[in-house]
Amino acid sequence: MRDRMRTACRAVTVAVALAAAGGATAVPAVAAPTGITRVALPPAPTGLTYTYDAIAQEATVRWNPKDPADTVTTGYREVSCAGPTTADGPCFIRATGPLLTGDSFTFRLAAGRTFYFRLIAENVEHQYTSSAILTITTT
């Protein structure tokens, strides 16, 4: 009963507010957005290659360095994929931790494995562009 009374009071309050604003069909004016700034997407990373150190069981992925004229890319994130194409399953972006800012990334990877790696370039709005998938095969 108490909830019904609250709902009825709210309905009356809304009706009174609409009547005071000029009737139920009056719609308050909304200003059009001004000055929308769009951030450019970063260029996709290119030139991905890898080396594998079987003793340390570490893979190092390298890519072409960021162009000095590139003012959009704030850094890179590593991505692991389920297969050599996106049709083979999802890719997972490491979303936490600092961005990679250099032109290489080293990680542990056991021998006898195949790993699908992708790199994304990220801008200040956390929008990204990804590289092609790199297949890493360890021995």
Side-chain angles (χ1 to χ4, degrees):
M1 181 70 170
R2 185 176 284 163
D3 289 335
R4 288 183 189 160
M5 289 300 291
R6 286 184 188 155
T7 302
C9 288
R10 288 182 186 147
V12 169
T13 303
V14 169
V16 169
L18 286 173
T25 59
V27 177
V30 177
T34 60
I36 296 175
T37 304
R38 303 241 184 247
V39 177
L41 289 175
T46 59
L48 272 69
T49 61
Y50 77 94
T51 56
Y52 182 69
D53 180 342
I55 295 170
Q57 292 190 340
E58 290 181 338
T60 299
V61 176
R62 297 188 189 289
W63 55 91
N64 293 337
K66 178 180 160 182
D67 186 324
D70 176 5
T71 60
V72 177
T73 303
T74 56
Y76 303 96
R77 291 197 187 276
E78 68 274 13
V79 179
S80 62
C81 296
T85 69
T86 54
D88 294 316
C91 291
F92 299 95
I93 301 170
R94 180 194 51 84
T96 61
L99 291 170
L100 304 172
T101 56
D103 60 2
S104 67
F105 175 69
T106 300
F107 59 99
R108 296 195 47 89
L109 186 62
R113 303 255 336 259
T114 299
F115 186 78
Y116 303 100
F117 184 91
R118 184 177 238 171
L119 187 72
I120 62 168
E122 189 173 302
N123 67 13
V124 296
E125 296 291 329
H126 306 290
Q127 299 167 322
Y128 60 87
T129 307
S130 64
S131 70
I133 296 174
L134 174 68
T135 302
I136 300 172
T137 304
T138 62
T139 54

